[in-house]
Amino acid sequence: RRSYRHQLGFFKFVLMADDAGRCLRMHVWDSALPVQEDIHSHCAHFQSRVVLGSLSENAFDLVLGDSHSRFLYRFDALAGHSVAVTDGVTGVCLRERRTLSRGDTYSKQASDLHSVSDAVQGTVTVSAWDSRHSEALVLKSRGAQPEDCAASAGMPVGEMRMALLNVKERIDRR
């Protein structure tokens, strides 16, 4: 139930989690098509390492403007999943773009705005996440609706097994 195709396009696998909500995740960008993630922050701080492949990590600042719809993304304990709430419009400005390759690490504070782009098909990251402690901000194209921020939790066991076997085979070839 905690592993699924994330609304940003990659597979999210929760490898382990503790009672405080800290967890170890693996993300797999498996698409052959270019992925351009929404600009977003997170609900927790994390540290990540690129295990296979490469990706570009883009850092942004909010600026006056109306180029993007804003959504606050928060965990709803009653519903058991995160929900998006409309929060107006904003502008953004790219502050930094960097390419990360196998072995590179990066850290993000929950409030940092970023996106991932140019992920090579099969890129794998492993990340250590702190407990949720804030709402995340998601920026989408103007006119987007809260339901555009949603993803279904869980995935068929066969699909999960195939994705994990693919990662294992790629690691074995190294």
Side-chain angles (χ1 to χ4, degrees):
R1 181 184 138 114
R2 291 183 178 187
S3 299
Y4 54 92
R5 180 166 301 276
H6 195 279
Q7 60 268 28
L8 296 175
F10 53 82
F11 278 126
K12 169 188 163 185
F13 297 101
V14 177
L15 303 177
M16 60 184 286
D18 67 16
D19 292 340
R22 295 176 300 242
C23 67
L24 182 67
R25 290 180 175 181
M26 179 174 64
H27 294 171
V28 179
W29 284 264
D30 67 322
S31 178
L33 303 173
V35 172
Q36 179 60 52
E37 289 186 357
D38 296 325
I39 299 167
H40 60 281
S41 66
H42 297 91
C43 58
H45 308 314
F46 70 93
Q47 301 79 41
S48 187
R49 177 180 297 270
V50 179
V51 177
L52 294 170
S54 65
L55 53 82
S56 293
E57 196 260 336
N58 312 292
F60 295 88
D61 292 316
L62 294 177
V63 297
L64 289 176
D66 61 1
S67 60
H68 289 76
S69 294
R70 290 173 55 116
F71 297 93
L72 293 178
Y73 201 66
R74 63 177 69 112
F75 186 74
D76 182 331
L78 189 60
H81 58 82
S82 294
V83 295
V85 177
T86 303
D87 189 46
V89 295
T90 190
V92 307
C93 178
L94 178 66
R95 179 175 12 100
E96 178 186 14
R97 178 183 170 95
R98 59 188 174 151
T99 299
L100 301 165
S101 300
R102 188 168 58 107
D104 290 340
T105 60
Y106 66 102
S107 298
K108 287 291 167 196
Q109 296 296 303
S111 60
D112 293 343
L113 280 172
H114 85 137
S115 71
V116 168
S117 61
D118 305 319
V120 171
Q121 184 178 14
T123 294
V124 175
T125 61
V126 174
S127 51
W129 289 73
D130 291 343
S131 303
R132 288 185 178 113
H133 66 273
S134 63
E135 297 175 329
L137 180 63
V138 177
L139 305 181
K140 297 184 96 40
S141 301
R142 283 288 305 265
Q145 300 298 313
E147 52 270 16
D148 298 329
C149 300
S152 298
M155 62 192 304
V157 172
E159 184 178 11
M160 181 186 300
R161 181 174 175 72
M162 290 302 297
L164 292 172
L165 282 172
N166 182 275
V167 170
K168 179 190 178 301
E169 288 171 5
R170 292 187 60 233
I171 290 172
D172 285 347
R173 288 195 299 256
R174 292 266 168 219

